[in-house]
Amino acid sequence: GHGCVVQGDALATHAPKMSRDEGQLTFVENAVHIHNKVRAFAGWPGTSAEFIVGPPDQKETVKVKVITTRVRRAAGGPALGVHDVRLSEAGDALVVTCDDGSLVDVLELQPPGKKAMDA
């Protein structure tokens, strides 16, 4: 076709196989990067994150699959390591503060042993 550039076989390289570890979300990246990672890893290997849940005297860490996200705020002030998690005003998402202060909404997730559900 017109405008196509054919890569020479001698210049081709192979990418290493992706692993499940690459799908781990730690929220140290910007919200846009996290949202794009969730979209890119949809299906396999998927993305997951660990959240601390429960009352103050019975907190536990739960690893969930993150299915769908959206960017709430693409930039913000530094929050360095303070990954605040709260329910959105509309009650339709978990709002996570990333290290740079940007915000990502987790819209759909899957707890261990359960079906995918709205946040």
Side-chain angles (χ1 to χ4, degrees):
H2 297 288
C4 294
V5 177
V6 178
Q7 180 177 333
D9 288 342
L11 301 175
T13 58
H14 291 280
K17 186 176 178 179
M18 290 191 304
S19 71
R20 287 195 184 277
D21 292 342
E22 292 179 84
Q24 181 66 33
L25 303 175
T26 59
F27 303 102
V28 296
E29 298 97 353
N30 177 275
V32 174
H33 178 85
I34 290 171
H35 174 65
N36 287 338
K37 187 174 187 176
V38 170
R39 294 184 317 138
F41 285 51
W44 197 93
T47 51
S48 61
E50 292 182 346
F51 293 100
I52 299 172
V53 297
D57 59 335
Q58 297 176 338
K59 290 189 181 277
E60 65 176 298
T61 301
V62 177
K63 186 172 186 174
V64 297
K65 288 184 182 178
V66 176
I67 312 289
T68 311
T69 60
R70 74 175 165 227
V71 176
R72 176 172 287 257
R73 183 172 70 202
L80 299 175
V82 182
H83 301 135
D84 182 51
V85 179
R86 61 181 166 82
L87 193 60
S88 67
E89 300 82 21
D92 65 343
L94 290 176
V95 182
V96 182
T97 303
C98 302
D99 269 8
D100 67 349
S102 61
L103 301 173
V104 64
D105 289 352
V106 176
L107 303 173
E108 188 180 10
L109 51 82
Q110 184 177 357
K114 307 254 180 167
K115 291 186 177 186
M117 60 179 68
D118 294 339

